[in-house]
Amino acid sequence: TPHAAGGAVRILDIATGCGRYVLETMRAMSHLPAPAVLRDYKTENVEAGRQLAESLGVRDATVVQGDAFDRASLAAVTPKPTVGIVSGLYELYPENEGLRRSLLGLADAIEPGGYLIYTNQPWHPQVEFIARALTNREGQPWVMRRRTQMEMDQLVAEAGFDKVDQKMDKWGIFTVSVAKRRDS
């Protein structure tokens, strides 16, 4: 991690929802200076994130509205993050073009040598049930895009990251991976 190497930790979460997992981690690790920029496209999530940060006493988090697929907007985040997070987002989108823009924006934003934490859902036992019974943010059937881990890792590599670690749940449904930003 950047901290273990003696460097600064600056977090960017590009689709944070209300930011609970980052904010609770920041509170639990308040001894470690790690300012965070938490972005979400929904105004109500941004407001909920701000309220949650305040209720948890987390002062180093900035919660703002932002588009996770806008490369230029991601690249413009300052100060440059050393840790980028994209969790539970990409499986909601069927086309890879948006993911490519998003990952390139993260590569533009994250300092060389920094890290990207990303999730994937290569398999789900109820994917057909979910598509028939639930709707997405736009009110359409919720058809999740399952990508093989290899496909997801290739997209990450194309953007300029080298995968260094991965964890998977015991059912093989969810993965969390870490990749390091290449120097060039």
Side-chain angles (χ1 to χ4, degrees), residues 123-145:
W123 177 77
H124 196 291
Q126 297 177 326
V127 73
E128 188 174 335
F129 170 76
I130 290 168
R132 293 179 188 269
L134 300 175
T135 57
N136 64 18
R137 298 162 311 289
E138 287 83 32
Q140 301 298 316
W142 189 2
V143 178
M144 289 188 287
R145 166 67 148 92

Side-chain angles (χ1 to χ4, degrees), residues 87-182:
S87 177
L89 177 67
Y90 293 156
E91 56 268 32
L92 303 177
Y93 294 88
E95 300 300 323
N96 283 344
E97 190 51 43
L99 276 67
R100 284 187 177 99
R101 282 192 317 275
S102 179
L103 288 165
L104 287 169
L106 281 162
D108 293 341
I110 296 171
E111 282 189 356
Y115 293 88
L116 172 65
I117 301 168
Y118 61 100
T119 61
N120 191 34
Q121 192 171 348
W123 177 77
H124 196 291
Q126 297 177 326
V127 73
E128 188 174 335
F129 170 76
I130 290 168
R132 293 179 188 269
L134 300 175
T135 57
N136 64 18
R137 298 162 311 289
E138 287 83 32
Q140 301 298 316
W142 189 2
V143 178
M144 289 188 287
R145 166 67 148 92
R146 294 164 293 162
R147 288 176 176 82
T148 66
Q149 191 63 46
M150 181 183 288
E151 179 184 7
M152 191 66 231
D153 293 343
Q154 286 174 337
L155 290 165
V156 169
E158 287 172 12
F161 296 91
D162 295 318
K163 185 174 176 176
V164 295
D165 198 10
Q166 175 183 302
K167 301 290 185 211
M168 181 181 285
D169 69 322
K170 67 181 181 180
W171 302 280
I173 299 173
F174 300 104
T175 64
V176 178
S177 300
V178 178
K180 188 173 183 178
R181 176 72 170 91
R182 283 186 218 115

Side-chain angles (χ1 to χ4, degrees), residues 16-20 23 37-40 42-59 61-66:
T16 199
C18 71
R20 180 169 300 279
L23 293 169
V37 173
L38 309 179
R39 294 169 43 126
D40 199 86
K42 283 184 142 182
T43 304
E44 55 266 30
N45 289 345
V46 171
E47 288 304 316
R50 289 175 180 161
Q51 291 172 8
L52 182 60
E54 185 176 330
S55 73
L56 294 174
V58 175
R59 291 180 179 79
T62 303
V63 187
V64 297
Q65 197 159 7

Side-chain angles (χ1 to χ4, degrees), residues 1-10 32-35 80-83 111-115:
T1 67
H3 175 68
V9 176
R10 293 180 301 276
L32 174 66
K80 286 188 132 340
T82 58
V83 177
E111 282 189 356
Y115 293 88

